Amino acid sequence: MNKNKRIKILNCFKQQHPYPNIELDFTSPFELLIAVMLSAQSTDIRVNKVTKKLYKIANTPKTFLELGIDNIKNYINTIGIYNIKAINIVRTSYILLNYYKNNIPSDRYLLESLPGVGRKTANVILNNVYNKPTIAVDTHVFRVCNRTKFLVSKNVKQLEDKLVKTLPNMFKKNISNWMILHGRYICKSRKPNCNVCIIKHLCEFPEKNNFLLQKST
């Protein structure tokens, strides 16, 4: 896809969602960090159901440490790999309490040194908490970019690098949330809703017309 098309697509997303928000529920940077850690191999809806109850009991590093691993497991056991996540939450809480005065680091290297925090999670925090133009690439972003031919890449890291290198700075802050929203509600994995897609006239998905025909019959 050429540069002009990409810019048109981004402007379509901007017009539809000028200020796209992450769909995880949180009231503090620490709550967002825990929610993103929990979201691996899970959905935002499921995570929000869990944190709605969990954050009433614990929502700071100190209260998570007081709650303990076993009790945390009881709250998050409906989420994938909850045993490992509970351990990482306690370890990260300990580090934040004892080394960062309860503050979430704004440095990528320090963020990724926290147990259970990988590159995607770090990008989400840097973007949504510190307003940095980092680009978090999840399954939705990866699918939408490759399917539409917005940018074709073999893996997540390669796509992130291409997006950072290719996109104008003005779009970097919001592109992750735009692509996630589009992938979650329109450009779905199995049955994309091409008929209601705001970028269908720009999309280069080879099977687009098949889905348009299916919807119209």
Side-chain angles (χ1 to χ4, degrees), residues 16-154:
Q16 185 183 44
H17 297 292
Y19 307 103
N21 293 317
I22 192 169
E23 293 194 317
L24 290 168
D25 295 333
F26 65 97
T27 60
S28 70
F30 178 74
E31 285 188 1
L32 176 60
L33 176 63
I34 298 301
V36 179
M37 290 171 66
L38 291 174
S39 69
Q41 298 185 30
S42 187
T43 64
D44 287 0
I45 292 174
R46 186 174 296 276
V47 171
N48 287 338
K49 286 181 179 179
V50 166
T51 56
K52 183 178 181 180
K53 296 178 181 179
L54 177 61
Y55 289 162
K56 291 178 181 178
I57 306 300
N59 68 344
T60 65
K62 184 175 184 295
T63 52
F64 267 108
L65 285 174
E66 292 171 345
L67 189 60
I69 292 174
D70 290 338
N71 287 324
I72 293 173
K73 287 181 182 180
N74 290 334
Y75 278 97
I76 69 172
N77 60 16
T78 58
I79 290 178
I81 56 175
Y82 69 92
N83 288 303
I84 295 173
K85 290 177 180 178
I87 294 170
N88 285 335
I89 286 171
V90 167
R91 288 176 175 173
T92 288
S93 295
Y94 178 85
I95 293 170
L96 293 176
L97 179 64
N98 289 281
Y99 296 96
Y100 295 109
K101 298 180 180 179
N102 290 319
N103 295 315
I104 308 298
S106 59
D107 176 82
R108 175 186 295 283
Y109 175 80
L110 296 178
L111 274 171
E112 292 187 27
S113 70
L114 297 172
V117 177
R119 187 174 185 85
K120 188 193 81 171
T121 300
N123 280 336
V124 172
I125 298 301
L126 293 171
N127 184 279
N128 290 276
V129 173
Y130 294 107
N131 293 313
K132 294 187 178 183
T134 55
I135 301 174
V137 178
D138 72 350
T139 55
H140 297 296
V141 178
F142 189 75
R143 179 177 65 254
V144 172
C145 283
N146 279 282
R147 176 184 278 169
T148 62
K149 310 302 181 189
F150 184 88
L151 275 175
V152 177
S153 302
K154 295 180 179 179

